[in-house]
Amino acid sequence: MCGIVGIASKRQDVENDILNTLANLEYRGYDSAGIAVLKNNNILCKKVVGKINDLRNLVSDVDLSSSIGIGHTRWATHGAVNTLNAHPHFTENIALVHNGIIENYDEIKSELQKEGYVFKTETDTEAILFLIDKYISKGLSPLDSVINSLKHVVGAFALAIIFKNYNDLMIGVKKGAPLVVGKSDNHVVIASDVTSISKIVDDVIYLKDENIVQIKSSEIELFDTKGNPIKAEFTKVQKSLSNDINKNGYSHYMLKEISEQPMVIENLNSNYNNIIEIINEQKLDIYKKIIIVACGTSYYAGLVAKYWFEKFTTIDCMVYTASEFCYLKKRLNKDYLVICISQSGETADTLASLKYSKSLGVKTIGIVNVPKSSIDNEADYCFYTFAGPEIGVASTKCFTAQLTVLLKFILGLAEINNETDHDLISKISYELSSINDKINEVLSKQSLIAELAEYCAKFKNAIYLGRQNAYPIALEGALKIKEISYIHAEGYSAGELKHGPLALVDENMLVVVIANSTSEVYLKTISNMENVIARNGNVIIISDKKLDIKNVKQFVMPSIIDDLTPILYAIPVQLLAFYVAKEKGTDIDKPRNLAKSVTVE
Ligand code: M6R
């Protein structure tokens, strides 16, 4: 999704820090970028379709030196990818950058057109641009112009605005999309996330929804949307964040993040060895109905959790994709606990589901990787996944981190409620504490996966199969390969194959089978695989049991208790997707059309 930055400085070189911050925001996903500065009290704006390096090239011989400016990475929502639609947008009076959506832009546009405003772009952004411009033209102060404009606007968004003739004034707005304000001795900075500015600021304010920030001569003032002052609360910036966003010698963030999984799981094993205390303190053991809401990979983590809830507890667990759940209008009551899983903590659909649940008085908990994110702020309690920044658009370490937290939580509930044999819980907990040996074994054999990937890369279509707790891993494997290698892939529960998808299988179909031999349905999965072989499908099996079947390729896994299949078997499916994408030469960390943090519904 779009990334925004605004910098007001005591120095005259904000353009460099704006461009560097935009580079740090690249991971969010974007298709065009731009920068605007105030130069001799006039707005000077440059935009490109393409990457930040293209923007750097464009401005290399333009004098953008200034003490104030804004920048933007655009992920197109309204209007084609072109420089006209790219941000910043500007008038005679103001320039602004915008992340999120102005839902009623059409209505505002019609009104403003009647007043003579001529819309040139296909964006929703011009609606708020011209609204603010209108109030400035009427003589209102910049702050009052923003406050008055917000009264007309519906949607979830964040803004950074600079004003002609005010070379020391910048205003930011947070309303449903992320925005932070940072400061150092030289700079005050507005940005979409703290990681992107951690090198250039020392303290940060995590803005709350409906906060307006005014930066005037380096002074930071906060207001609500009625203009009432609000006290600013600063937090020290963790300087290590800027190291976490380096590739540390890896060719890609995705590979780095896949490789970090043992460290992440080790951290979680120690950070949550008090899970029973947390459950007791938060009174989470009283619920018999749990709803999990999430999107994409986080949703698949929820699907795995459902298997664990059903096996280890008597809790009824329902899992929904957030975009469906928030409009289902399910009749929730205080008997339900709603768990929202989100790496970014900003996913608009998940956040909307959380707000809906809260509005019915339901207790909500989050499982997030980004502290102080919107879901962290809104939920009654949050479990952090402590995985460090995840930059690759394809989620990897956060998936296994979510699974680890969920399993520890579910085993904790089972233990408190005395619903599962204590020895089984101890065995799983013990195996979880030593799973890193097995993950490291898989990571050490990635050259074998790279060889398989060479073979897989020639296929246009793939089916991933798994049963029981391996079924969500089949879904996750298919999502991973489609999002970064653009091979069309679908995940099915292996038992469903014969009910339709088998019709697709012929000598052109790749079929990846996930089958841990310690599963009670292992032999059934193998039978389903035989159906594929009989129809000339091209099979790769990921399993701990060495098979010798003609034309079937295999990646041999370490042996593991079936309950931990989802965590361990996630690793080879991630690696397979990575190496297939590498083979195909795609932009692995920033796949086309996708965004890391999906802040629009
Ligand atoms: O930040 P979230 O976990 O809420 O994001 C949810 C999905 O957008 C995300 O998992 C997406 O599916 C990933 N690109 C998958 O790799």
Side-chain angles (χ1 to χ4, degrees):
M1 297 280 110
C2 306
I4 68 180
V5 55
I7 305 183
S9 179
K10 290 181 183 156
R11 301 197 317 229
Q12 284 295 323
D13 59 356
V14 283
E15 66 284 7
N16 296 324
D17 283 328
I18 290 175
L19 290 169
N20 292 339
T21 305
L22 289 180
N24 293 340
L25 290 167
E26 279 191 304
Y27 77 94
R28 295 168 67 85
Y30 71 111
D31 40 56
S32 51
I35 179 169
V37 297
L38 269 194
K39 189 107 191 123
N40 307 323
N41 280 333
N42 283 316
I43 292 158
L44 179 55
C45 179
K46 294 285 166 192
K47 316 192 248 190
V48 283
V49 169
K51 300 292 178 196
I52 300 307
N53 271 343
D54 302 314
L55 184 61
R56 284 190 199 277
N57 289 338
L58 178 78
V59 301
S60 61
D61 48 9
V62 182
D63 179 10
L64 288 176
S65 55
S66 171
S67 61
I68 192 158
I70 52 181
H72 192 263
T73 49
R74 174 175 188 247
W75 187 83
T77 57
H78 293 64
V81 177
N82 57 36
T83 42
L84 191 63
N85 290 333
H87 299 215
H89 291 284
F90 58 97
T91 65
E92 268 296 294
N93 299 314
I94 62 168
L96 67 72
V97 284
H98 161 219
N99 166 29
I101 287 182
I102 311 293
E103 287 173 9
N104 60 338
Y105 79 98
D106 226 12
E107 205 179 287
I108 299 172
K109 183 174 172 179
S110 307
E111 288 302 315
L112 288 168
Q113 278 172 328
K114 283 183 211 149
E115 295 174 34
Y117 277 93
V118 179
F119 284 69
K120 297 190 205 91
T121 76
E122 302 160 291
T123 67
D124 53 338
T125 308
E126 256 185 323
I128 181 89
L129 176 81
F130 288 153
L131 256 183
I132 300 172
D133 181 86
K134 177 178 117 174
Y135 288 111
I136 295 273
S137 306
K138 281 185 175 174
L140 268 70
S141 72
L143 183 62
D144 286 340
S145 299
V146 171
I147 290 172
N148 275 292
S149 303
L150 290 177
K151 289 181 190 154
H152 302 274
V153 181
V154 178
F157 53 87
L159 303 169
I161 316 153
I162 53 174
F163 302 82
K164 188 181 167 178
N165 298 328
Y166 293 84
N167 64 8
D168 63 348
L169 177 74
M170 180 164 64
I171 292 181
V173 176
K174 171 172 161 54
K175 190 173 180 289
L179 199 67
V180 297
V181 185
K183 67 166 187 179
S184 65
D185 288 345
N186 290 319
H187 287 341
V188 180
V189 184
I190 297 176
S192 294
D193 71 34
V194 67
T195 315
S196 65
I197 54 171
S198 59
K199 261 195 187 154
I200 56 169
V201 299
D202 304 316
D203 302 281
V204 74
I205 308 169
Y206 293 92
L207 293 180
K208 301 217 167 67
D209 269 346
E210 317 250 315
N211 278 184
I212 299 173
V213 57
Q214 173 169 262
I215 295 140
K216 208 173 174 184
S217 308
S218 307
E219 290 300 312
I220 301 173
E221 294 171 285
L222 293 194
F223 302 93
D224 65 16
T225 48
K226 294 195 178 87
N228 301 312
I230 301 173
K231 195 169 174 294
E233 281 171 28
F234 285 95
T235 311
K236 276 266 162 255
V237 171
Q238 231 184 299
K239 288 292 175 183
S240 62
L241 276 177
S242 56
N243 296 332
D244 291 344
I245 57 169
N246 289 331
K247 285 190 199 142
N248 290 348
Y250 285 91
S251 60
H252 295 83
Y253 283 112
M254 183 178 176
L255 192 57
K256 170 182 175 248
E257 287 156 7
I258 290 174
S259 310
E260 283 172 348
Q261 290 174 104
M263 184 180 75
V264 172
I265 293 175
E266 189 177 318
N267 287 344
L268 290 171
N269 271 327
S270 59
N271 287 348
Y272 286 112
N273 62 11
N274 62 341
I275 194 85
I276 306 251
E277 276 164 46
I278 300 176
I279 294 172
N280 284 333
E281 263 169 37
Q282 293 296 320
K283 300 191 174 49
L284 299 177
D285 56 332
I286 58 172
Y287 298 94
K288 282 290 158 205
K289 290 179 193 167
I290 289 186
I291 290 186
I292 298 181
V293 187
C295 302
T297 288
S298 299
Y299 167 69
Y300 297 147
L303 289 185
V304 172
K306 182 175 169 67
Y307 283 94
W308 286 331
F309 268 118
E310 282 167 4
K311 176 157 181 189
F312 302 125
T313 74
T314 54
I315 293 166
D316 197 8
C317 173
M318 287 152 276
V319 190
Y320 293 93
T321 53
S323 52
E324 289 301 309
F325 179 78
C326 56
Y327 296 103
L328 205 61
K329 304 282 178 247
K330 193 168 170 65
R331 291 177 183 81
L332 302 175
N333 57 41
K334 293 204 164 124
D335 296 341
Y336 286 88
L337 173 69
V338 169
I339 302 179
C340 292
I341 310 175
S342 173
Q343 179 282 128
S344 60
E346 298 294 350
T347 301
D349 294 316
T350 312
L351 186 58
S353 303
L354 173 60
K355 287 182 178 166
Y356 167 72
S357 309
K358 270 184 80 173
S359 73
L360 299 178
V362 171
K363 172 129 176 166
T364 54
I365 64 172
I367 299 183
V368 303
N369 194 46
V370 183
K372 309 272 186 198
S373 56
S374 301
I375 290 179
D376 184 19
N377 289 340
E378 288 282 336
D380 293 314
Y381 180 77
C382 246
F383 288 105
Y384 296 138
T385 45
F386 298 113
E390 190 181 66
I391 308 289
V393 164
S395 186
T396 52
K397 62 177 178 175
C398 287
F399 178 60
T400 46
Q402 289 162 350
L403 292 179
T404 306
V405 171
L406 283 160
L407 181 57
K408 288 178 105 44
F409 173 53
I410 294 164
L411 292 178
L413 285 174
E415 185 144 355
I416 294 172
N417 294 337
N418 216 357
E419 290 180 326
T420 298
D421 174 30
H422 183 74
D423 290 346
L424 177 61
I425 295 181
S426 303
K427 184 164 168 33
I428 298 169
S429 302
Y430 173 75
E431 291 236 5
L432 183 61
S433 67
S434 56
I435 196 170
N436 280 339
D437 295 343
K438 296 177 186 187
I439 295 180
N440 281 322
E441 189 182 327
V442 175
L443 291 172
S444 72
K445 293 200 297 189
Q446 54 189 286
S447 59
L448 298 178
I449 298 185
E451 274 170 32
L452 289 174
E454 218 177 302
Y455 166 77
C456 296
K458 65 175 189 256
F459 292 96
K460 289 200 165 46
N461 294 290
I463 291 177
Y464 278 63
L465 298 176
R467 291 181 84 120
Q468 295 289 296
N469 63 16
Y471 167 44
I473 304 306
L475 294 168
E476 170 63 1
L479 177 65
K480 236 36 351 147
I481 203 164
K482 82 176 91 165
E483 71 175 330
I484 60 168
S485 80
Y486 316 144
I487 290 177
H488 171 234
E490 300 302 333
Y492 292 104
S493 73
E496 275 294 294
L497 191 65
K498 56 191 177 294
H499 299 292
L502 195 56
L504 296 171
V505 175
D506 62 11
E507 65 284 357
N508 297 315
M509 180 63 80
L510 173 68
V511 179
V512 179
V513 180
I514 298 154
N516 183 353
S517 73
T518 58
S519 161
E520 65 169 333
V521 290
Y522 169 73
L523 288 176
K524 292 192 190 301
T525 308
I526 298 300
S527 301
N528 300 139
M529 179 181 79
E530 294 288 357
N531 290 184
V532 173
I533 298 169
R535 283 151 187 93
N536 299 322
N538 304 280
V539 175
I540 290 188
I541 179 163
I542 303 175
S543 175
D544 55 324
K545 191 159 175 182
K546 182 108 185 67
L547 294 174
D548 194 11
I549 306 178
K550 197 167 160 237
N551 293 335
V552 169
K553 301 190 185 307
Q554 180 167 8
F555 180 74
V556 183
M557 293 290 288
S559 168
I560 192 150
I561 184 170
D562 182 46
D563 301 298
L564 295 184
T565 299
I567 300 178
L568 187 63
Y569 280 64
I571 317 291
V573 301
Q574 295 167 350
L575 285 168
L576 187 64
F578 174 82
Y579 282 107
V580 171
K582 193 163 176 224
E583 193 64 30
K584 297 191 74 178
T586 57
D587 191 351
I588 296 179
D589 287 330
K590 289 175 261 156
R592 67 186 182 201
N593 305 339
L594 298 182
K596 182 67 183 164
S597 182
V598 185
T599 50
V600 295
E601 281 192 44

